[in-house]
Amino acid sequence: MNEANPLAPYAEVIGDPIAQSKSPIIHNFWLEKLGIEATYRACHVTPKALPEYLTKRRNDKNWRGCNVTLPHKLAVMDLVEDPGGLKQSIGAMNTISRTDDGNLFGTNTDAGGFLSPISDLPLEKQEVVVIGAGGAARAVLFALSRLNVGSVTIVNRNVLKASALLAHFGLKGRAIEHGAPLPPAALLVNASALGMAGQEPLTIDLDGLPDHALIYDLVYSPLKTDLLRAAENRNLDSMDGLAMLIGQAALAFEIFFGATPPIEHDDELQALLVT
């Protein structure tokens, strides 16, 4: 890997803000382990600058693509091609790739990344709570719709928007506002930005959850969120955002660089991410 080589392939993660992203650590770790001369970096892109950013990258033959994080996962769908029909299905994109002739295509690796660490859990017919109704929540709901889960409760400020998402994904359930009592769900997923560094805190009462519930916080900065501390206080099983982050990154890495990440080094990678 040689960051000084201006002709080396590169990929990016874009968002606003972006300093908290751990994606460059993950991708550059894999690139180094595989001996691939390429780089992966963070790029701060505001909503206003998003169209211009994509126009410039469209003409950059060294640019392999980008991951898309808050707040661009919905807006980017109107700016790139959508061969998989994501606009009608998940309704969010988190990965953009470039063809040799300069066409930009969008896909979504969040759903697969979310499912990867919980694929063995017996969630069929189980109740689930999802916090949030943005791009990450859409990927989570899409994934849940494929698992034949039971009732899904979405916690969101805008209950009408959340209710519409349930209908869109064909899920039975309801939408509630923050502060309303939670149902006895087997899985609670924070798919919002609440609790992330620089964002509003997430305050939630977990008393309504059973002792076997799993708390899955997709936030990874900070790694130990207030939600995970609350789960710890209840002696509930929990999972931090690194699981999904690494899972979705692995799928994107193959798209960008045409290579499978060296999962035999996962322990080393996770140690690097928590330092």
Side-chain angles (χ1 to χ4, degrees), residues 81-105:
E81 295 185 42
D82 180 19
L86 290 178
K87 197 167 187 177
Q88 288 72 41
S89 57
I90 296 180
M93 288 179 179
N94 82 316
T95 303
I96 308 299
S97 60
R98 179 190 182 279
T99 63
D100 290 339
D101 55 3
N103 289 326
L104 302 186
F105 293 87

Side-chain angles (χ1 to χ4, degrees), residues 12-19 42-47 49 53 72:
E12 299 173 302
V13 56
I14 63 171
D16 180 28
I18 200 59
C43 184
H44 182 214
V45 178
T46 65
Y53 166 84
H72 303 314

Side-chain angles (χ1 to χ4, degrees), residues 127-147:
E127 284 196 69
V128 179
V129 171
V130 176
I131 302 171
R138 285 175 170 271
V140 168
L141 293 168
F142 175 82
L144 292 175
S145 71
R146 301 303 192 264
L147 292 181

